[in-house]
Amino acid sequence: MTPRTALSIAGSDPSGGAGIQADLKTFAALGVHGMAALAGLTVQNTQGVRAASPIDPGFVVAQVEAVLDDIEVHATKLGMLTNARIAEAVADLIAARRADFGFLVLDPVMVATSGDRLLADEAVEVVRTRLLPLADLITPNVPETAVLAGSSPAGNSSELQAQAERIVTTGARAVLAKGGHLTGEELTDLLVTPNGTARFTGARVNTRNTHGTGCTLSSAIAATAARAGIAPGGTVPEHVVAEARDFLHRAILAGADWQLSRSPGTGHGPVNHLINLKGAQA
């Protein structure tokens, strides 16, 4: 038996709520074999990011090549790539071996939930011009959608949709513009493709525990696509996005009252990635 697999190329979060750690938990919870290549290290917790350090681009590439040369990858998630040199190196490798990466989800990590900047300015252009056209789906939040569209952050869903459509016209195959930063009782994400827009709306959960939600959603989409056998280069099925959003919503609900921090009521705690596991704490 050959299990379905997913690879994350992203940064590390020692507190376990975001980055590689969140991706691997999500992969496991959704039933795929998870693999990971570290692209950066952070010093962070639920209160914010204290420091970040890149990994040598050649070493990042070597990690990924070691996986690709040995194991079939059905889906890949790209997260925090830290700087332009790493982003360029990863883009070069994907361009050379695109078929080996399977269904590719790009989470253009630029700003943490805490507001801390996680991507150097010079790397943004690499993401926009090199990585965006290679991805099957990109999953920017409101501030990231604005950066990629060259606009100010959207104030409502109509503005967010217009910005996502602009990104599609510049070469993206599909954009899942996440509306979590917008106000309102409901939260709406927009899947924008050259064929139109699909809206995914759900109730907003009133909790501070939203650390790593973007990482979790993008890795859940990758895992769901891997499990469903979605091939790269085609249309992004709406059910893949819907299933991934359902997992994230349940994880947020299950962790909404968690108090991991020694300073309750401050910072942003993680979601409960263990929600699918028997005997997991709710």
Side-chain angles (χ1 to χ4, degrees), residues 36-131:
L38 283 171
L41 304 175
T42 68
V43 179
Q44 67 174 296
N45 53 30
T46 64
Q47 305 300 307
V49 179
R50 298 181 179 181
S53 178
I55 292 176
D56 178 78
F59 197 78
V60 176
V61 169
Q63 292 177 77
V64 179
E65 288 179 328
V67 173
L68 299 182
D69 291 346
D70 182 48
I71 301 172
E72 182 179 3
V73 175
H74 299 116
T76 300
K77 173 259 175 78
L78 298 181
M80 187 190 82
L81 299 179
T82 309
N83 62 34
R85 291 180 61 231
I86 295 173
E88 287 277 12
V90 171
D92 287 343
L93 180 60
I94 294 174
R97 303 183 60 167
R98 179 61 187 88
D100 291 338
F101 286 85
F103 186 88
L104 181 59
V105 181
L106 169 61
D107 183 15
V109 179
M110 299 175 187
V111 183
T113 300
S114 59
D116 296 289
R117 190 67 182 259
L118 296 175
L119 188 68
D121 289 339
E122 67 271 15
V124 172
E125 192 61 23
V126 179
V127 170
R128 181 188 287 115
T129 60
R130 297 288 316 281
L131 290 171

Coordinates of all heavy atoms in Angstrom, one line a residue, residues 36-131:
A36 N 8.4 17.4 5.5 CA 8.6 18.9 5.7 C 10.1 19.2 5.4 O 11.0 18.5 5.8 CB 8.3 19.3 7.1
A37 N 10.3 20.4 4.8 CA 11.6 21.0 4.6 C 11.6 22.3 5.2 O 10.8 23.2 4.8 CB 11.9 21.1 3.1
L38 N 12.5 22.6 6.1 CA 12.5 23.8 6.8 C 13.1 24.9 6.0 O 14.2 24.8 5.4 CB 13.3 23.7 8.1 CG 12.6 23.0 9.3 CD1 13.6 22.8 10.4 CD2 11.5 23.9 9.8
A39 N 12.4 26.1 5.8 CA 12.9 27.2 5.1 C 13.3 28.4 6.0 O 13.9 29.3 5.5 CB 11.9 27.7 4.1
G40 N 13.0 28.3 7.3 CA 13.4 29.3 8.2 C 13.0 28.9 9.6 O 12.2 28.0 9.9
L41 N 13.7 29.6 10.5 CA 13.5 29.4 12.0 C 12.9 30.6 12.6 O 13.3 31.7 12.2 CB 14.8 29.0 12.7 CG 15.5 27.8 12.1 CD1 16.9 27.7 12.9 CD2 14.7 26.5 12.3
T42 N 12.0 30.5 13.5 CA 11.5 31.6 14.2 C 11.6 31.4 15.7 O 11.7 30.3 16.2 CB 10.0 31.9 13.9 OG1 9.2 30.9 14.5 CG2 9.8 32.1 12.4
V43 N 11.7 32.5 16.5 CA 11.6 32.5 17.9 C 10.2 33.1 18.2 O 10.1 34.4 18.1 CB 12.7 33.3 18.6 CG1 12.6 33.2 20.1 CG2 14.1 32.7 18.2
Q44 N 9.2 32.3 18.5 CA 7.9 32.9 18.7 C 7.1 32.1 19.7 O 7.4 30.9 20.0 CB 7.2 33.0 17.4 CG 6.8 31.7 16.7 CD 5.9 31.9 15.5 OE1 4.8 32.4 15.5 NE2 6.5 31.6 14.3
N45 N 6.0 32.6 20.2 CA 5.1 31.9 21.0 C 3.7 32.6 20.8 O 3.5 33.2 19.7 CB 5.5 32.0 22.5 CG 5.7 33.4 23.0 OD1 5.1 34.4 22.5 ND2 6.6 33.6 23.9
T46 N 2.8 32.4 21.7 CA 1.4 32.9 21.5 C 1.4 34.4 21.5 O 0.4 35.1 21.1 CB 0.4 32.3 22.5 OG1 0.8 32.8 23.8 CG2 0.4 30.8 22.4
Q47 N 2.4 35.0 22.1 CA 2.5 36.5 22.3 C 3.0 37.2 21.0 O 2.8 38.4 20.9 CB 3.3 36.8 23.5 CG 2.9 36.2 24.8 CD 1.5 36.5 25.1 OE1 1.1 37.7 25.3 NE2 0.6 35.5 25.3
G48 N 3.8 36.5 20.2 CA 4.3 37.2 19.0 C 5.6 36.6 18.6 O 6.1 35.6 19.2
V49 N 6.2 37.2 17.5 CA 7.5 36.7 17.0 C 8.6 37.6 17.6 O 8.6 38.8 17.4 CB 7.5 36.8 15.4 CG1 8.8 36.3 14.9 CG2 6.4 36.0 14.9
R50 N 9.6 36.9 18.2 CA 10.7 37.6 18.8 C 11.9 37.7 17.8 O 12.6 38.7 17.8 CB 11.2 36.9 20.0 CG 10.2 36.8 21.1 CD 10.7 36.1 22.3 NE 9.7 36.0 23.4 CZ 10.0 35.4 24.6 NH1 11.2 34.8 24.8 NH2 9.0 35.4 25.5
A51 N 12.1 36.8 17.0 CA 13.2 36.8 16.0 C 12.9 35.8 14.9 O 12.1 34.8 15.1 CB 14.5 36.5 16.7
A52 N 13.6 35.9 13.8 CA 13.5 35.0 12.7 C 14.9 34.9 12.0 O 15.6 35.8 11.9 CB 12.5 35.4 11.6
S53 N 15.2 33.6 11.6 CA 16.5 33.4 11.0 C 16.3 32.5 9.7 O 15.7 31.4 9.8 CB 17.4 32.7 12.0 OG 18.7 32.4 11.4
P54 N 16.8 32.9 8.6 CA 16.7 32.1 7.4 C 17.6 30.9 7.4 O 18.6 30.8 8.2 CB 17.1 33.0 6.3 CG 18.1 34.0 6.9 CD 17.6 34.1 8.3
I55 N 17.3 29.9 6.6 CA 18.2 28.7 6.4 C 18.9 28.9 5.0 O 18.3 29.4 4.1 CB 17.4 27.4 6.5 CG1 16.9 27.2 8.0 CG2 18.2 26.2 6.0 CD1 16.0 26.0 8.2
D56 N 20.1 28.4 4.9 CA 20.8 28.6 3.7 C 20.0 28.0 2.5 O 19.5 26.9 2.6 CB 22.1 27.8 3.7 CG 22.9 27.9 2.4 OD1 23.6 28.9 2.2 OD2 22.9 26.9 1.7
P57 N 19.8 28.8 1.4 CA 19.0 28.3 0.3 C 19.3 27.0 -0.3 O 18.5 26.2 -0.6 CB 19.1 29.5 -0.7 CG 19.5 30.7 0.1 CD 20.3 30.2 1.2
G58 N 20.6 26.7 -0.4 CA 21.1 25.4 -0.9 C 20.7 24.3 0.0 O 20.3 23.2 -0.5
F59 N 20.6 24.5 1.3 CA 20.2 23.5 2.3 C 18.7 23.3 2.2 O 18.2 22.1 2.3 CB 20.6 23.9 3.7 CG 20.6 22.7 4.6 CD1 21.6 21.8 4.7 CD2 19.6 22.5 5.5 CE1 21.6 20.7 5.5 CE2 19.5 21.5 6.4 CZ 20.6 20.5 6.4
V60 N 18.0 24.3 1.9 CA 16.5 24.2 1.8 C 16.2 23.3 0.5 O 15.4 22.4 0.6 CB 15.8 25.6 1.6 CG1 14.3 25.4 1.3 CG2 16.0 26.4 2.8
V61 N 16.9 23.6 -0.6 CA 16.7 22.9 -1.8 C 17.1 21.4 -1.6 O 16.5 20.5 -2.1 CB 17.5 23.5 -2.9 CG1 17.6 22.6 -4.2 CG2 16.9 24.8 -3.3
A62 N 18.2 21.2 -0.9 CA 18.7 19.8 -0.6 C 17.7 19.0 0.1 O 17.5 17.8 -0.1 CB 20.1 19.9 0.1
Q63 N 17.0 19.6 1.1 CA 16.0 18.9 1.9 C 14.9 18.5 0.9 O 14.4 17.3 1.0 CB 15.4 19.9 2.9 CG 16.3 20.2 4.1 CD 15.6 21.2 5.0 OE1 14.8 20.8 5.8 NE2 15.9 22.5 4.9
V64 N 14.4 19.4 0.1 CA 13.3 19.1 -0.8 C 13.7 18.0 -1.8 O 13.0 17.1 -2.1 CB 12.8 20.4 -1.5 CG1 11.7 20.0 -2.5 CG2 12.4 21.4 -0.5
E65 N 14.9 18.2 -2.4 CA 15.4 17.2 -3.4 C 15.5 15.8 -2.7 O 15.2 14.8 -3.4 CB 16.7 17.6 -3.9 CG 16.7 18.8 -4.9 CD 18.0 19.2 -5.4 OE1 19.0 19.0 -4.7 OE2 18.1 19.7 -6.5
A66 N 15.9 15.7 -1.5 CA 16.0 14.4 -0.8 C 14.6 13.7 -0.8 O 14.5 12.5 -1.0 CB 16.6 14.6 0.6
V67 N 13.6 14.5 -0.6 CA 12.2 13.9 -0.5 C 11.8 13.6 -1.9 O 11.3 12.4 -2.2 CB 11.2 15.0 0.1 CG1 9.8 14.4 -0.1 CG2 11.6 15.2 1.5
L68 N 11.9 14.5 -2.9 CA 11.5 14.2 -4.2 C 12.2 13.1 -4.9 O 11.6 12.3 -5.7 CB 11.7 15.5 -5.1 CG 11.0 16.8 -4.7 CD1 11.3 17.9 -5.7 CD2 9.5 16.6 -4.6
D69 N 13.4 12.9 -4.6 CA 14.2 11.8 -5.2 C 13.8 10.4 -4.7 O 14.2 9.4 -5.3 CB 15.7 12.0 -5.0 CG 16.3 13.2 -5.7 OD1 15.6 13.7 -6.6 OD2 17.4 13.6 -5.4
D70 N 13.1 10.4 -3.6 CA 12.8 9.1 -2.9 C 11.3 8.8 -2.8 O 10.9 7.6 -2.9 CB 13.4 9.1 -1.5 CG 13.2 7.8 -0.8 OD1 13.4 6.7 -1.4 OD2 12.8 7.9 0.4
I71 N 10.5 9.8 -2.6 CA 9.1 9.6 -2.3 C 8.2 10.4 -3.3 O 8.5 11.6 -3.6 CB 8.8 10.1 -0.9 CG1 9.6 9.3 0.1 CG2 7.3 9.9 -0.5 CD1 9.6 9.8 1.5
E72 N 7.1 9.8 -3.7 CA 6.1 10.5 -4.6 C 5.4 11.5 -3.7 O 4.8 11.1 -2.7 CB 5.2 9.5 -5.2 CG 4.2 10.2 -6.2 CD 3.2 9.3 -6.8 OE1 3.3 8.1 -6.6 OE2 2.4 9.7 -7.7
V73 N 5.3 12.8 -4.2 CA 4.6 13.8 -3.4 C 3.3 14.1 -4.2 O 3.3 14.4 -5.3 CB 5.5 15.1 -3.4 CG1 4.7 16.2 -2.7 CG2 6.8 14.8 -2.6
H74 N 2.2 14.0 -3.5 CA 0.9 14.2 -4.1 C 0.4 15.6 -4.0 O -0.4 16.1 -4.8 CB -0.1 13.2 -3.5 CG 0.2 11.8 -3.7 ND1 0.5 10.9 -2.7 CD2 0.3 11.1 -4.8 CE1 0.8 9.7 -3.1 NE2 0.7 9.8 -4.4
A75 N 0.9 16.3 -3.0 CA 0.6 17.7 -2.8 C 1.7 18.4 -2.0 O 2.3 17.8 -1.2 CB -0.8 17.9 -2.1
T76 N 1.8 19.7 -2.3 CA 2.8 20.5 -1.6 C 2.2 21.8 -1.1 O 1.4 22.4 -1.8 CB 4.0 20.9 -2.6 OG1 4.6 19.6 -3.0 CG2 5.1 21.7 -1.9
K77 N 2.6 22.2 0.1 CA 2.2 23.5 0.6 C 3.5 24.4 0.8 O 4.4 23.9 1.4 CB 1.5 23.3 2.0 CG 1.2 24.6 2.7 CD 2.2 24.9 3.8 CE 2.0 26.2 4.5 NZ 1.0 26.2 5.5
L78 N 3.5 25.6 0.3 CA 4.5 26.5 0.5 C 4.1 27.5 1.5 O 3.0 28.2 1.4 CB 4.9 27.2 -0.8 CG 5.4 26.4 -2.0 CD1 5.7 27.3 -3.2 CD2 6.7 25.6 -1.6
G79 N 4.9 27.7 2.6 CA 4.6 28.7 3.6 C 5.6 29.8 3.7 O 6.1 30.3 2.6
M80 N 6.1 30.1 4.9 CA 7.1 31.2 5.1 C 8.4 30.8 4.4 O 9.1 29.8 4.8 CB 7.3 31.4 6.6 CG 8.1 32.6 6.9 SD 8.6 32.7 8.6 CE 10.0 31.6 8.6
L81 N 8.8 31.6 3.5 CA 10.1 31.4 2.8 C 11.2 32.4 3.2 O 12.3 32.4 2.6 CB 9.9 31.4 1.3 CG 9.0 30.3 0.8 CD1 8.8 30.4 -0.7 CD2 9.5 28.9 1.2
T82 N 10.9 33.3 4.0 CA 11.8 34.2 4.8 C 12.4 35.3 3.9 O 12.3 36.5 4.3 CB 12.9 33.4 5.4 OG1 12.4 32.3 6.2 CG2 13.8 34.3 6.3
N83 N 13.1 35.0 2.8 CA 13.8 36.0 2.1 C 13.8 35.7 0.6 O 13.4 34.6 0.2 CB 15.2 36.3 2.6 CG 16.1 35.1 2.5 OD1 16.0 34.3 1.6 ND2 17.0 34.9 3.5
A84 N 14.3 36.6 -0.2 CA 14.3 36.5 -1.7 C 15.2 35.4 -2.2 O 14.8 34.7 -3.1 CB 14.7 37.8 -2.3
R85 N 16.3 35.2 -1.5 CA 17.2 34.1 -2.0 C 16.6 32.7 -1.8 O 16.7 31.9 -2.7 CB 18.5 34.2 -1.2 CG 19.4 35.4 -1.5 CD 20.7 35.4 -0.7 NE 21.5 34.2 -1.0 CZ 22.0 33.4 0.0 NH1 21.8 33.6 1.2 NH2 22.8 32.4 -0.4
I86 N 15.9 32.5 -0.7 CA 15.2 31.2 -0.5 C 14.1 31.1 -1.5 O 13.9 30.0 -2.1 CB 14.8 31.1 1.0 CG1 15.9 31.0 1.9 CG2 13.9 29.8 1.1 CD1 15.6 31.1 3.4
A87 N 13.3 32.1 -1.6 CA 12.2 32.1 -2.5 C 12.6 31.8 -3.9 O 12.0 31.0 -4.7 CB 11.4 33.4 -2.4
E88 N 13.7 32.4 -4.4 CA 14.2 32.2 -5.7 C 14.7 30.8 -5.9 O 14.4 30.1 -6.9 CB 15.4 33.2 -6.0 CG 15.0 34.6 -6.2 CD 14.6 34.9 -7.7 OE1 14.4 33.9 -8.4 OE2 14.4 36.1 -8.0
A89 N 15.4 30.2 -4.9 CA 15.9 28.9 -5.0 C 14.8 27.9 -5.0 O 14.8 26.9 -5.8 CB 16.8 28.6 -3.8
V90 N 13.7 28.1 -4.2 CA 12.6 27.2 -4.3 C 11.8 27.3 -5.6 O 11.4 26.3 -6.2 CB 11.6 27.5 -3.1 CG1 10.3 26.7 -3.2 CG2 12.3 27.2 -1.7
A91 N 11.7 28.5 -6.1 CA 11.0 28.7 -7.4 C 11.8 28.0 -8.5 O 11.2 27.4 -9.4 CB 10.9 30.2 -7.7
D92 N 13.1 28.1 -8.5 CA 13.9 27.5 -9.5 C 13.7 26.0 -9.5 O 13.6 25.3 -10.5 CB 15.4 27.8 -9.3 CG 15.8 29.2 -9.6 OD1 15.0 29.9 -10.3 OD2 16.9 29.6 -9.2
L93 N 13.7 25.4 -8.3 CA 13.5 23.9 -8.2 C 12.1 23.5 -8.6 O 11.9 22.5 -9.3 CB 13.7 23.5 -6.7 CG 13.6 22.0 -6.4 CD1 14.5 21.2 -7.2 CD2 13.7 21.7 -4.9
I94 N 11.1 24.3 -8.2 CA 9.7 23.9 -8.7 C 9.6 24.0 -10.2 O 9.0 23.2 -10.8 CB 8.7 24.8 -7.9 CG1 8.7 24.5 -6.4 CG2 7.3 24.6 -8.5 CD1 7.8 25.5 -5.6
A95 N 10.1 25.1 -10.7 CA 10.1 25.3 -12.2 C 10.7 24.1 -12.9 O 10.2 23.7 -14.0 CB 10.7 26.6 -12.6
A96 N 11.8 23.6 -12.4 CA 12.6 22.5 -13.0 C 11.9 21.2 -12.8 O 12.0 20.3 -13.7 CB 14.0 22.5 -12.5
R97 N 11.2 21.0 -11.7 CA 10.6 19.7 -11.4 C 9.1 19.8 -11.0 O 8.6 19.2 -10.1 CB 11.4 19.0 -10.3 CG 12.8 18.9 -10.5 CD 13.5 18.1 -9.4 NE 13.0 16.8 -9.2 CZ 13.6 15.9 -8.4 NH1 14.8 16.2 -7.8 NH2 13.1 14.7 -8.2
R98 N 8.4 20.6 -11.8 CA 7.0 21.0 -11.4 C 6.1 19.7 -11.1 O 5.4 19.7 -10.2 CB 6.4 21.9 -12.4 CG 4.9 22.3 -12.1 CD 4.8 23.0 -10.8 NE 3.4 23.3 -10.4 CZ 2.7 22.4 -9.7 NH1 3.2 21.3 -9.3 NH2 1.5 22.7 -9.3
A99 N 6.2 18.7 -12.0 CA 5.3 17.6 -11.9 C 5.6 16.8 -10.6 O 4.7 16.1 -10.1 CB 5.5 16.6 -13.1
D100 N 6.8 16.9 -10.0 CA 7.1 16.2 -8.8 C 6.5 16.7 -7.6 O 6.5 16.1 -6.5 CB 8.7 16.1 -8.6 CG 9.4 15.3 -9.7 OD1 8.7 14.4 -10.3 OD2 10.6 15.5 -9.9
F101 N 6.0 17.9 -7.6 CA 5.4 18.6 -6.5 C 3.9 18.4 -6.3 O 3.3 18.7 -5.3 CB 5.7 20.1 -6.5 CG 7.1 20.4 -6.2 CD1 8.1 20.4 -7.2 CD2 7.5 20.8 -4.9 CE1 9.4 20.8 -7.0 CE2 8.8 21.1 -4.6 CZ 9.8 21.1 -5.7
G102 N 3.3 17.8 -7.3 CA 1.8 17.5 -7.2 C 1.0 18.8 -7.1 O 1.4 19.8 -7.6
F103 N -0.1 18.7 -6.5 CA -1.0 19.9 -6.3 C -0.3 20.9 -5.4 O 0.1 20.5 -4.3 CB -2.4 19.4 -5.8 CG -3.4 20.5 -5.7 CD1 -4.2 20.7 -6.8 CD2 -3.5 21.3 -4.6 CE1 -5.2 21.8 -6.7 CE2 -4.5 22.3 -4.5 CZ -5.3 22.5 -5.6
L104 N -0.1 22.1 -5.9 CA 0.7 23.1 -5.2 C -0.1 24.2 -4.6 O -0.8 24.9 -5.3 CB 1.8 23.6 -6.1 CG 2.8 24.6 -5.5 CD1 3.5 24.0 -4.3 CD2 3.7 25.1 -6.6
V105 N -0.1 24.3 -3.3 CA -0.8 25.4 -2.6 C 0.2 26.4 -2.0 O 1.2 26.0 -1.3 CB -1.6 24.9 -1.4 CG1 -2.4 26.0 -0.7 CG2 -2.6 23.8 -1.8
L106 N 0.1 27.7 -2.4 CA 1.0 28.7 -2.0 C 0.3 29.6 -0.9 O -0.7 30.3 -1.3 CB 1.4 29.6 -3.1 CG 2.2 30.9 -2.8 CD1 3.5 30.6 -2.1 CD2 2.5 31.6 -4.1
D107 N 0.8 29.5 0.3 CA 0.3 30.4 1.3 C 1.3 31.6 1.4 O 2.4 31.4 2.0 CB 0.1 29.7 2.7 CG -0.4 30.6 3.8 OD1 -1.0 31.6 3.5 OD2 -0.3 30.2 5.0
P108 N 1.0 32.7 0.9 CA 2.1 33.8 0.8 C 2.2 34.5 2.1 O 1.8 35.6 2.3 CB 1.5 34.7 -0.3 CG 0.0 34.6 -0.1 CD -0.2 33.1 0.3
V109 N 2.8 33.7 3.1 CA 3.0 34.2 4.4 C 3.8 35.5 4.5 O 5.0 35.5 4.2 CB 3.6 33.2 5.3 CG1 3.8 33.7 6.8 CG2 2.8 31.9 5.3
M110 N 3.2 36.6 4.9 CA 3.9 37.9 5.0 C 3.8 38.5 6.3 O 4.7 39.1 6.8 CB 3.3 38.8 3.9 CG 3.4 38.4 2.5 SD 2.6 39.5 1.3 CE 2.7 38.6 -0.2
V111 N 2.6 38.3 7.0 CA 2.4 38.9 8.3 C 1.7 37.8 9.2 O 0.8 37.2 8.8 CB 1.5 40.1 8.2 CG1 1.3 40.8 9.6 CG2 2.0 41.1 7.2
A112 N 2.3 37.7 10.4 CA 1.7 36.8 11.4 C 0.4 37.3 12.0 O 0.1 38.5 11.9 CB 2.7 36.5 12.5
T113 N -0.4 36.5 12.6 CA -1.6 36.9 13.3 C -1.4 38.0 14.2 O -2.2 39.0 14.4 CB -2.3 35.7 14.0 OG1 -2.6 34.7 13.0 CG2 -3.6 36.2 14.7
S114 N -0.2 38.0 14.9 CA 0.2 39.0 15.9 C 0.5 40.3 15.3 O 0.7 41.3 15.9 CB 1.4 38.5 16.7 OG 2.5 38.2 15.8
G115 N 0.7 40.3 13.9 CA 1.0 41.6 13.2 C 2.5 41.6 12.8 O 3.0 42.6 12.1
D116 N 3.3 40.6 13.3 CA 4.7 40.7 13.0 C 5.0 40.3 11.5 O 4.4 39.4 11.0 CB 5.5 39.7 13.9 CG 5.3 40.1 15.4 OD1 6.0 41.1 15.7 OD2 4.6 39.4 16.1
R117 N 5.9 41.0 10.9 CA 6.3 40.8 9.5 C 7.2 39.6 9.4 O 8.2 39.4 10.1 CB 7.0 42.0 8.9 CG 7.2 42.0 7.4 CD 5.9 42.1 6.7 NE 6.0 42.0 5.3 CZ 6.0 43.1 4.5 NH1 5.9 44.3 5.0 NH2 6.1 43.0 3.2
L118 N 6.8 38.6 8.5 CA 7.5 37.4 8.3 C 8.2 37.2 7.0 O 8.9 36.2 6.8 CB 6.5 36.2 8.6 CG 5.9 36.1 10.0 CD1 4.9 34.9 10.0 CD2 7.0 35.9 11.0
L119 N 8.0 38.1 6.1 CA 8.6 38.0 4.8 C 9.3 39.3 4.4 O 8.7 40.4 4.5 CB 7.5 37.7 3.7 CG 8.1 37.3 2.3 CD1 8.8 36.0 2.3 CD2 6.9 37.3 1.3
A120 N 10.5 39.2 4.1 CA 11.3 40.4 3.7 C 10.7 41.1 2.4 O 10.2 40.4 1.5 CB 12.8 40.1 3.4
D121 N 10.8 42.4 2.3 CA 10.2 43.1 1.2 C 10.6 42.6 -0.1 O 9.8 42.5 -1.1 CB 10.5 44.6 1.4 CG 9.7 45.3 2.5 OD1 8.7 44.7 3.0 OD2 10.2 46.3 3.0
E122 N 11.9 42.3 -0.3 CA 12.5 41.9 -1.6 C 11.9 40.6 -2.0 O 12.0 40.2 -3.2 CB 14.0 41.9 -1.6 CG 14.6 40.9 -0.7 CD 14.9 41.4 0.7 OE1 14.3 42.4 1.1 OE2 15.7 40.7 1.5
A123 N 11.5 39.8 -1.0 CA 10.9 38.5 -1.4 C 9.5 38.5 -1.9 O 9.1 37.6 -2.6 CB 11.0 37.6 -0.1
V124 N 8.8 39.6 -1.6 CA 7.4 39.7 -2.1 C 7.3 39.7 -3.6 O 6.5 39.0 -4.2 CB 6.8 41.0 -1.5 CG1 5.4 41.2 -2.2 CG2 6.7 41.0 0.0
E125 N 8.2 40.3 -4.2 CA 8.2 40.4 -5.7 C 8.5 39.0 -6.3 O 8.0 38.6 -7.3 CB 9.3 41.4 -6.2 CG 9.1 41.7 -7.7 CD 7.8 42.3 -8.1 OE1 7.1 42.9 -7.2 OE2 7.4 42.2 -9.3
V126 N 9.4 38.2 -5.6 CA 9.7 36.8 -6.0 C 8.4 36.0 -5.9 O 8.1 35.2 -6.8 CB 10.8 36.2 -5.2 CG1 11.1 34.8 -5.7 CG2 12.1 37.1 -5.3
V127 N 7.7 36.1 -4.8 CA 6.5 35.4 -4.7 C 5.5 35.8 -5.8 O 4.8 34.9 -6.4 CB 5.8 35.7 -3.3 CG1 4.4 35.1 -3.2 CG2 6.7 35.1 -2.2
R128 N 5.4 37.1 -6.0 CA 4.4 37.6 -7.0 C 4.8 37.1 -8.5 O 3.9 36.7 -9.2 CB 4.3 39.1 -7.0 CG 3.3 39.7 -8.0 CD 3.4 41.2 -8.0 NE 2.9 41.8 -6.8 CZ 3.6 42.5 -6.0 NH1 4.9 42.7 -6.1 NH2 3.0 43.1 -4.9
T129 N 6.0 37.2 -8.8 CA 6.4 36.9 -10.2 C 6.8 35.5 -10.5 O 6.7 35.0 -11.6 CB 7.5 37.9 -10.7 OG1 8.7 37.7 -9.8 CG2 7.1 39.3 -10.5
R130 N 7.4 34.8 -9.5 CA 8.0 33.5 -9.8 C 7.1 32.4 -9.2 O 6.8 31.4 -9.9 CB 9.4 33.3 -9.1 CG 10.4 34.3 -9.7 CD 10.9 33.9 -11.1 NE 11.1 32.5 -11.3 CZ 12.2 31.8 -10.8 NH1 13.2 32.5 -10.2 NH2 12.3 30.5 -11.1
L131 N 6.7 32.5 -8.0 CA 5.9 31.4 -7.3 C 4.5 31.4 -7.7 O 3.9 30.3 -7.8 CB 6.2 31.4 -5.8 CG 7.6 31.1 -5.4 CD1 7.7 31.4 -3.9 CD2 7.9 29.6 -5.6

